[in-house]
Amino acid sequence: MLCSVKTPFLAACCLFSFAVTCVAETHLFILSGQSNMQGLKEARENSFLPELGKLLPDADIQHIKVVMGGRPIRMWVAEWDTIAEKHGLRPMNQKPTFYPQIIDAYNEKFSDEEKPDTVTFLWMQGEKDAKTNLDAAYEESLMQLIANLRRDLDAPEMNVVIGRISDHSPGEKTQSGWDHVRQIHVNVAQSDPHGAWVDTDDCNNKTKNGKPNNDLHYTAEGYDLFGRRLARQAVRLIKGEEPAENGRPE
């Protein structure tokens, strides 16, 4: 709306009209994955939602969280069996329990007439696939999951923020698969024009018997740091800014 202001009265009317017609943008954040996403308490004082509130103070922030610890990516991807066979893995014949939950939660929040201005998918998963030697099918499965969400949510420019699994060492038998999934997380994020990744290598630094212990799960402070990084990378994408290449946005 354009106003040609010639008197204080008209100026006041113009400002009032602008105020009543201006609606805050709605940004939807979908958090999903396994235990380390489950462990993220997004409402903590220094975590995900408070950080979003600081970075997007005038926005309507909505979020959906569908998580479950210890679950492989096939629980989100209906095409996993087909992808697995292409990579020499046996099919599991397992239905993708969690993907429909995301779609149902979205449909409860929004209608075709009222959609969010932006959608951002935040993913923290991969430990299960890495530890069970299913990494060969992981990259294609993750890309399929992202494509499915963009299609089913009618959000072709959906942003994606991927938490890279940490520097935890699962053991000699599965270390190569673990390292492979870590690299996949970065590759998929960096190859997507709407993608970013988050480093978690300093989120799990605990001590055990007085010695450093990079546990599978994070410390309380680590989860807060993880949440802030997710929020910061997401907002950079929303604003059309470059995400932090090292996964540690300041």
Side-chain angles (χ1 to χ4, degrees), residues 5-250:
V5 180
K6 296 182 179 179
T7 70
F9 174 76
L10 289 176
C13 289
C14 181
L15 290 172
F16 176 77
S17 176
F18 179 81
V20 297
T21 57
C22 183
V23 178
E25 287 191 337
T26 298
H27 301 292
L28 173 65
F29 300 88
I30 301 171
L31 300 97
S32 201
Q34 56 180 112
S35 59
N36 278 319
M37 184 62 90
Q38 189 172 20
L40 171 65
K41 305 302 181 185
E42 62 271 18
R44 284 174 62 109
E45 182 178 355
N46 297 310
S47 192
F48 180 69
L49 291 179
E51 188 70 12
L52 285 178
K54 295 175 186 176
L55 298 172
L56 299 170
D58 300 319
D60 173 21
I61 295 172
Q62 299 288 327
H63 81 288
I64 292 168
K65 189 174 183 181
V66 176
V67 296
M68 181 60 67
R71 299 302 190 272
I73 198 171
R74 64 179 179 270
M75 300 292 288
W76 283 263
V77 182
E79 299 88 349
W80 190 87
D81 279 356
T82 301
I83 294 170
E85 289 184 301
K86 286 169 55 178
H87 294 276
L89 301 173
R90 64 182 180 86
M92 298 290 186
N93 299 312
Q94 192 170 29
K95 292 183 178 180
T97 305
F98 304 116
Y99 187 85
Q101 293 180 26
I102 295 174
I103 302 304
D104 289 346
Y106 177 89
N107 289 332
E108 288 179 7
K109 280 182 174 288
F110 302 101
S111 65
D112 290 337
E113 293 74 27
E114 296 183 2
K115 293 185 176 182
D117 293 282
T118 70
V119 179
T120 301
F121 178 55
L122 304 111
W123 179 247
M124 184 68 244
Q125 190 277 342
E127 295 94 340
K128 183 68 173 181
D129 296 84
K131 293 179 75 171
T132 53
N133 296 311
L134 297 176
D135 54 292
Y138 193 82
E139 183 166 3
E140 189 173 348
S141 297
L142 180 53
M143 294 178 71
Q144 184 69 58
L145 171 58
I146 294 167
N148 289 351
L149 284 169
R150 286 176 170 154
R151 177 197 66 206
D152 294 338
L153 300 181
D154 190 22
E157 296 186 347
M158 179 186 79
N159 298 313
V160 179
V161 182
I162 300 170
R164 184 181 68 175
I165 60 174
S166 72
D167 55 354
H168 169 72
S169 297
E172 184 177 348
K173 291 183 179 180
T174 55
Q175 187 65 54
S176 62
W178 189 272
D179 294 339
H180 189 201
V181 170
R182 278 169 58 84
Q183 189 59 53
I184 287 170
H185 283 151
V186 177
N187 291 347
V188 171
Q190 292 184 337
S191 66
D192 193 307
H194 302 284
W197 69 282
V198 164
D199 184 21
T200 64
D201 285 358
D202 55 345
C203 294
N204 64 337
N205 294 335
K206 301 180 180 180
T207 58
K208 187 175 183 180
N209 298 324
K211 297 180 180 180
N213 176 41
N214 287 340
D215 194 5
L216 176 67
H217 299 115
Y218 310 153
T219 64
E221 295 78 11
Y223 280 114
D224 282 358
L225 180 59
F226 172 50
R228 292 195 299 275
R229 286 176 177 169
L230 287 175
R232 291 170 184 171
Q233 292 286 61
V235 171
R236 289 192 183 193
L237 294 174
I238 289 169
K239 292 182 175 181
E241 300 172 355
E242 289 294 324
E245 292 184 2
N246 65 355
R248 297 188 179 193
E250 298 297 333

